[in-house]
Structure formats: structure tokens, C-alpha cells
Amino acid sequence: MTLAQSGFEHLASVAAIFPLQPPDASTIAGGVDQLYYLLTGVTLFFTVLIFSIIFYFMIKYRRRAPDEVPPETHAPLALELAWTLIPSAICVVIFFWSSYLFVRNSRPPAASTEIFVIGKQWMWHIQHPEGPREINELHVPVNQPIEVTMTSQDVIHDFYIPAFRVKKDVLPGRYTSLWFEATKEGTYHLYCAQYCGTNHAEMIGWVYVMSASDYAAWLAGGEQNESMSQSGEHLFTLLGCSSCHATAGQGAGTGPSLAGIYGQSEKFSDGSTHVVDDTLIRQAIVQPDSVQLPNYKSVMPTFKGQLTEEQMIQLIAYVKSLGTEERKNGQ
């Protein structure tokens, strides 16, 4: 073995102990890493180039006598164009490349499995649509797109999985979302990347990426809870929502029918049009006066402060399930 080979093996062993970056474990990670390498390469190249030129000019054009006066010079037009157009072209490439990644990574595939996350001081509460709940742990199947819908119960948190290259703020009173598709089975770190109080550093967890069969066994083998939509249905009845809102067909009531409403565009009394999504349903629950539909009086009471964030997402899951069934039936 040569000295060079021995040196490379030593560096590889050191890199294995102290990795320079998290593992690449999602479909998003590759594109993000390539852009990162480009930015790093451009930064290093121009740093070395600019400082090398500075030091060269410092030596070559240093003043050699106290009374020396340098001759008047004029920069060539070609040089001025070069140092203007080349950086501009690099900036344009970076802008379009990063914009493409941002748009692509902001749109979850249609077949994504939705999982709900609530950030609390100082823990992650995670709920699967089928019913299982987790604290500071997230189990997902490999090679399956996962959409994570998030909100905070108290302050601003930040949901961050380095190995998947995904990170997004979790805000109180609002829903944010991100998606990923894990490509490698294993265990990966989950962090809160936004300082959120005294025990912020302890708001950590683990993501377990499993094969499809192992994930199905995990869902079936855990504590058997009601699905989110079933829990939402019970809340819907308990809170008296069914006395005003029909949940099948176009039944009449004090309030509008909720059958098939999710994902549809609704026209408000002020003439504006909004798509019925998680955020709009939440707004209608906590601030009903702000969601006025034509031909319906403003009689719905506010439920602000009466529902936990977990109950809120269960109600939303129930409304979603109504919409899914209606669309399946072609209504």
C-alpha cells in the first residue's frame, strides 16, 4: 500500500466518524445538495481568485518611492463587461435553479400520505390518519411520499429533518406543510430548529423509515385508536355541528352542507373566492364571522379556546373524509 492510499483511507475513516453532512435519505436531498455544492464551489472559487488578485496587485503595483505618482489608467471595455456579465449570469443560474427546487419541493405528489404534527413546548405530537399517535417519534414507509401538516400549540417551532433536507416553521394559529419521500430505511434525527424556550435543545426526536410491510405491521400492532376522521365525527356530533351542517348530499340547514366542500372554491358574501382548505376550515371554527357565505346568516358561535389543536385537526380530517367520499361517488 502506498503512502497516498494510506492517507486517503485515513481521511475516509475520519470522515466516517465526523461526517461533513447528514446522510442523503430522500428524493429531495440530492437536488438540494447539488445546489449547495454549486454555491460552495462558486464562493470558494471567487474568494481565492479575488484575494489572489489583491495580493498580486499589492506586490506588483506597490509604491517604490515616496514621490512616485502612478500613471493614469483606463479599464478596457472588455474587462468591465466581463466582470459585470459573468457574475450576472451566475446569479441568474442560481436564481432559476433554486426557484425550480423551491417550487418542486413545495408541491407534494397527489398520492402523498398525510401526517399531522403539533409542536408544543417542548415536544412533537404526531398523529397518523389511521389513529396511532406518537411523541417525538415518526414512523414512515420507505419510497412513499409523506405530506406533513403542522401547527403549534404555543410558540413558533421549526420542523427539521436534516437527512431529508426539509425544514419549515410551525406556527401557532396557522397550518404549514412540507413533504418528503424517504429513500433509505433507517433512523434519522428530528429537530426543532427555531429557539422556542428554555428546553428548546431537548425538543428532538427520531424518524424511523421502514419497509412497507414493516410499516403496515407497525400500524396494526400499536395501540388501537379511532382514526382521525372517526374522532372528528364524534366531536362534530358532540359540539352540535350536525344540527346546522348537513354532511351528505345537499341537505338544507342553518349552515352550508359540508359534503364535498373540501378542496372546492367557494364564493364569499363579499364577492371574493377562496379554496376550502385546512386553514379556511380552522378560520371558520375560531372566527366564523370572517367566513361569510351567501344566503347564510352569521349565527355560528366561535369555538376559539374550546378546542385543542389535536381536536381541531380531527374535525378537519372528518370534513376531508366527507369530501373524499363525495368525490369518489362523483357528486
Side-chain angles (χ1 to χ4, degrees), residues 198-311:
T198 307
N199 295 329
H200 160 70
E202 297 178 11
M203 193 170 172
I204 56 178
W206 297 95
V207 179
Y208 299 95
V209 180
M210 315 167 75
S211 66
S213 58
D214 287 344
Y215 179 70
W218 176 82
L219 284 177
E223 181 181 352
Q224 297 302 309
N225 299 312
E226 290 182 321
S227 69
M228 290 183 62
S229 60
Q230 289 173 332
S231 298
E233 183 177 8
H234 292 158
L235 278 171
F236 193 84
T237 303
L238 180 65
L239 296 171
C241 306
S242 55
S243 63
C244 296
H245 296 283
T247 58
Q250 301 297 325
T254 308
S257 169
L258 301 182
I261 197 172
Y262 189 85
Q264 303 300 313
S265 294
E266 292 290 331
K267 189 173 183 179
F268 284 15
S269 298
D270 61 5
S272 61
T273 301
H274 300 268
V275 175
V276 179
D277 58 8
D278 298 40
T279 300
L280 187 62
I281 296 173
R282 178 194 171 87
Q283 182 181 343
I285 294 173
V286 299
Q287 295 178 312
D289 290 342
S290 66
V291 183
Q292 293 294 318
L293 297 178
N295 304 321
Y296 292 98
K297 296 180 180 179
S298 178
V299 296
M300 178 173 169
T302 177
F303 290 90
K304 184 176 183 180
Q306 301 179 45
L307 299 172
T308 65
E309 290 297 339
E310 184 177 0
Q311 291 173 323

Side-chain angles (χ1 to χ4, degrees), residues 34 38 59 93-94 119 128 134 144 152 157 231 284 290 301 327:
Q34 289 173 4
L38 172 68
I59 297 172
V93 170
I94 293 173
H128 296 255
E134 305 186 78
Q144 169 64 41
S152 170
H157 300 283
S231 298
S290 66
R327 285 195 292 272

Side-chain angles (χ1 to χ4, degrees), residues 35 38-39 89-101:
L35 179 61
L38 172 68
L39 294 173
I90 293 174
C91 289
V92 169
V93 170
I94 293 173
F95 171 78
F96 281 103
W97 190 347
S98 57
S99 298
Y100 165 75
L101 288 177

